[in-house]
Amino acid sequence: MNINTPSKTILVAPLNWGLGHATRCIPIIKALQDNNHIPIIASDGIALDLLKKEFPYLKFLELPSYEIEYAKNAKNFKWKLLKNCPRMIEAILEEKRLVKKWISKYEIDGIISDNRLGIYNKNVPSVFITHQLNVLTGNTTWLSSLLHQNIIKKYTECWVPDNNGNPNLAGELSHLKRPEFNIRYIGPLSRMHLKKVDTKYDLMILLSGPEPQRSLLEEKLKKEIQLYKGKVLFVKGIIEKEQKKEHLENVTFYNFMNSRQLEQALNESEIILCRSGYTSIMDLAKLNKKTFFIPTPGQYEQEYLAQKLKKEGLVPFSEQDLFTIKNLEELVHYKGLSEIKSDINWTALFEVFLLNKH
């Protein structure tokens, strides 16, 4: 613990869109504690449930849900998000009202928002975390990127969990030619640590993300692994009150795992099959893992990341509808992910919260 740092109360608010935003906030929350600060966590849904399991002794606040759902048909992905916009805007306005109230009630000195668009206040230093300075939406990328960048401008700083130069993980998502706001590239964020352990599983399947696509992939993979001869660990990514474990022939199923269990299981697994979400990529790079990706249908960001890493000869991928278990044989032709070294100076980063209220 850095006892020389004045203690500040920091609101940490990850977006509830799958589990990635919540899990990549775990090292940030731990670093705040290590630097003598007091985190208060705010979110909703499974993101909030996950963090309550990780930090049961911290204070938690509930935010309105953006009610993000994926379309069953990938072609309807953009339309589904547009249809959801009124509810999202309503939630963002409510976030602003709540933040104003909480700053006074809990004497909050700073804010860290991971992609929650209404979690900032002009009276306290506010940080926005994103790897998507450019938001890919097909032929409307220019507009979605412009809108997102205009929101980021309202914050004191933007922290990007990637490297500024090469190598980097997010490519054009996380890099702008002429940024008009304060960007700090903090390097990849991961709660994972590489361990030397014996291999226990030939294949680990790790699911996450909003419905209904998570369930659709779960059902597909349950059928496909019946043809797989090796030992399989299947983590469904469903956050429930109690952890459930089930054995069916060569497959061990869990509804969810906490960070410690997940770290151990990933280290013990030969290959990983999962979505190409950015947090998963950061975690698997930290662990130097051989991986196969199935991007969420219609999600441009995951499709771009999967294509980027395949082009670099690191990770193969398949569209969800076309995947068969035989696709895993492609892995012999790819290098796998490897860690991009970055030493995050948390004390220096947190100095933004020592600024006078403006």
Side-chain angles (χ1 to χ4, degrees), residues 11 32 84 135 179 202 206 224 252 322 334 336:
L11 181 69
L32 283 168
N84 188 61
V135 180
D202 300 293
L206 184 58
E224 287 295 328
T252 302
L322 301 177
Y334 291 82

Side-chain angles (χ1 to χ4, degrees), residues 22-27 29-30 33 41 46-58 60 191-192 239 256-263:
T23 56
R24 73 184 185 191
C25 282
I26 289 172
I29 294 164
K30 288 180 176 176
Q33 294 174 303
I41 301 172
I46 58 170
L48 188 63
D49 293 341
L50 175 89
L51 291 171
K52 281 180 177 178
K53 291 180 186 296
E54 293 290 329
F55 303 99
Y57 47 85
L58 290 182
F60 288 86
R191 56 184 166 152
M192 300 298 163
I239 306 299
F256 72 91
M257 285 183 162
N258 63 32
S259 287
R260 182 184 55 78
Q261 293 171 319
L262 205 56
E263 179 182 81

Side-chain angles (χ1 to χ4, degrees), residues 147-159:
L147 291 171
H148 200 226
Q149 290 163 24
N150 280 334
I151 290 167
I152 298 172
K153 285 178 187 176
K154 298 175 182 178
Y155 289 77
T156 313
E157 287 184 358
C158 177
W159 293 353

Side-chain angles (χ1 to χ4, degrees), residues 17 77-78 81 115 117 128 130-152 170 172-176 181 299-302 304:
W17 186 328
F77 177 79
K78 201 187 296 186
L81 286 182
N115 277 267
L117 307 181
F128 192 77
T130 187
H131 64 279
Q132 292 188 80
L133 300 176
N134 289 306
V135 180
L136 305 186
T137 54
N139 57 8
T140 54
T141 291
W142 67 273
L143 179 59
S144 52
S145 298
L146 182 65
L147 291 171
H148 200 226
Q149 290 163 24
N150 280 334
I151 290 167
I152 298 172
E172 67 181 65
L173 292 179
S174 63
H175 296 82
L176 297 176
F181 43 85
Q299 191 176 340
Y300 292 95
E301 172 215 357
Q302 288 195 12
Y304 166 77

Side-chain angles (χ1 to χ4, degrees), residues 214-240:
R214 190 212 61 79
S215 291
L216 291 172
L217 183 56
E218 179 185 334
E219 292 309 309
K220 181 180 181 69
L221 292 179
K222 278 181 178 176
K223 293 173 185 174
E224 287 295 328
I225 58 173
Q226 292 174 17
L227 304 171
Y228 190 77
K229 304 300 182 189
K231 199 171 179 183
V232 181
L233 176 63
F234 196 127
V235 183
K236 298 177 183 179
I238 305 170
I239 306 299
E240 295 175 313

